[in-house]
Amino acid sequence: MNKQDLTNEIKAEALRLGFFTCGIAKADSVEKATADHVKRWLKEGKQANMDYMANYMEKRLDPRLLMEGARSIICVALNYAPHDYCSDSEYQLAAYALGQDYHDIMKAKLRRLAAKFGYEDALISQNPEAHKCRIFVDTGPILERYWAEKAGLGWTGKNHQLIIPHAGSMFFLGEILVDEELIYDQPIKNRCGNCRKCIEACPTKAIIENCEIDAEKCLSYQTIENRSELSSEATARIGNTIYGCDTCLKACPWNRFATPNDTPELQPKAELLQMTRQQWENLSEEEYRKLFKGSAVKRAKYKGLMRNIEAAACFSREKQLPLSNKSKDYEQENK
């Protein structure tokens, strides 16, 4: 099969497996401007306590170091926009966490895609004649949004989310690094323009002008990755969110094009959508394990989720009381 036919077949199979789109980029070192940006962001401590983001920097900036003979990066996006959400009057979880853990779902689909074309895992294959691959879903040292851009899937918005034209940004990303040369796609133009809606909507002002996030301020970081107490700023701005934050996604005009996904594993459990504030506040560890079996919410652990619920409950109670000075300041700055 020639390169063009193989490329076409890979993309067609990706769509058949349920991915929304698929593009291919040449495996190469990242551009200097991007490398400098990443290094500066880390040097300034914008990653908060996620120190692992500085690990394997050489590989992060040159995916060819992740696999001998790497030549192409197959990039895919899987829609996670839900059919149903938690009631607006109840506590909220980020939309991506309503279904089963996306790491497992994405990796299973990517393995099937790789196997269809004879690619074997470079880390375990014993066949010297087979073409090799490596699969990544948000866990390896690879700049996912950068390569999705290079593969023509979309562009990185000001909130650092990949935006797919006329589809929005509610997508999981994944990559297959392969040792074959394919036909490469071209990046598309960034179409955020002068829009600042995500920047203005962010409750903690975590989105910085030059298309990056100050993780320490971000509610997603605070409610998921942070293993200690919530920051005072997060506590004052948490609202009714108890895991993650979708505020910048909801503010993005491109997400008006989002359509509900049809992946069975990503559909939320009925019992999750039916949870009331009282049930959340009295959630036992056993109930937590049952409710979130196979879910990405496990990352916050029971202790972290209950910390978030307590903060959201306090926020809700304080809204019923006379405004504190902190609340007045927040109200004034958000007029």
Side-chain angles (χ1 to χ4, degrees), residues 222-223 226-228 230 303-311:
Q222 285 288 332
T223 58
N226 181 18
R227 294 291 181 253
S228 58
L230 295 175
K303 182 179 179 181
L305 185 65
M306 296 310 295
R307 171 203 63 188
N308 301 341
I309 292 170
E310 181 180 353

Side-chain angles (χ1 to χ4, degrees), residues 34-306:
T34 297
D36 290 346
H37 187 173
V38 171
K39 292 175 182 177
R40 177 183 56 77
W41 184 77
L42 290 167
K43 184 177 181 180
E44 292 175 356
K46 295 296 196 302
Q47 79 277 26
N49 71 353
M50 297 181 289
D51 295 335
Y52 62 85
M53 299 186 78
N55 295 340
Y56 307 108
M57 185 54 62
E58 295 82 3
K59 295 179 179 179
R60 199 176 294 273
L61 299 180
D62 190 344
R64 294 172 299 181
L65 301 178
L66 291 167
M67 187 184 83
E68 184 179 355
R71 303 182 74 180
S72 304
I73 306 176
I74 302 168
C75 299
V76 298
L78 181 68
N79 178 18
Y80 69 78
H83 278 272
D84 301 299
Y85 291 83
C86 300
S87 170
D88 289 341
S89 63
E90 305 297 345
Y91 292 137
Q92 302 293 307
L93 292 86
Y96 85 85
L98 293 176
Q100 295 296 288
D101 192 333
Y102 67 95
H103 297 92
D104 299 331
I105 298 167
M106 290 283 286
K107 284 182 179 178
K109 289 180 179 291
L110 288 170
R111 289 189 189 108
R112 289 169 62 189
L113 179 59
K116 174 75 175 181
F117 298 96
Y119 295 117
E120 297 185 4
D121 188 333
L123 298 181
I124 62 175
S125 175
Q126 300 296 315
N127 182 0
E129 303 300 321
H131 282 294
K132 305 300 191 297
C133 75
R134 284 198 66 186
I135 290 172
F136 298 94
V137 181
D138 194 30
T139 52
I142 188 167
L143 301 179
E144 290 193 306
R145 294 179 185 86
Y146 175 88
W147 292 111
E149 279 193 89
K150 288 294 183 184
L153 270 58
W155 68 89
T156 301
K158 293 176 182 175
N159 62 351
H160 210 57
Q161 298 297 305
L162 186 84
I163 299 174
I164 297 177
H166 301 291
S169 56
M170 300 177 78
F171 291 92
F172 300 125
L173 302 179
E175 303 78 37
I176 307 177
L177 199 59
V178 300
D179 61 358
E180 279 191 290
E181 183 177 317
L182 300 169
I183 301 299
Y184 304 127
D185 293 288
Q186 296 300 313
I188 62 177
K189 181 181 178 181
N190 186 310
R191 296 168 64 182
C192 282
N194 295 321
C195 179
R196 291 172 41 85
K197 290 186 177 181
C198 62
I199 296 174
E200 294 165 356
C202 180
T204 55
K205 308 306 177 190
I207 304 174
I208 304 170
E209 290 286 351
N210 56 347
C211 188
E212 64 184 38
I213 305 292
D214 185 340
E216 182 68 30
K217 293 183 177 181
C218 180
L219 282 178
S220 283
Y221 164 78
Q222 285 288 332
T223 58
I224 301 174
E225 299 292 337
N226 181 18
R227 294 291 181 253
S228 58
E229 293 300 313
L230 295 175
S231 69
S232 58
E233 187 171 31
T235 301
R237 310 291 198 268
I238 196 167
N240 65 349
T241 183
I242 59 172
Y243 185 91
C245 178
D246 282 343
T247 302
C248 65
L249 274 70
K250 292 176 180 177
C252 178
W254 286 100
N255 278 321
R256 72 183 185 274
F257 296 110
T259 57
N261 80 83
D262 57 5
T263 302
E265 302 93 328
L266 293 177
Q267 305 311 312
K269 297 178 180 178
E271 54 266 40
L272 179 61
L273 298 179
Q274 293 166 3
M275 288 286 289
T276 65
R277 287 175 180 254
Q278 184 176 13
Q279 288 173 318
W280 281 118
E281 291 164 15
N282 292 286
L283 186 71
S284 70
E285 190 162 0
E286 182 180 351
E287 291 169 330
Y288 161 83
R289 291 197 189 100
K290 182 178 179 182
L291 189 63
F292 294 113
K293 183 179 180 180
S295 164
V297 177
K298 293 181 300 181
R299 185 163 182 81
K301 305 187 182 305
Y302 174 73
K303 182 179 179 181
L305 185 65
M306 296 310 295

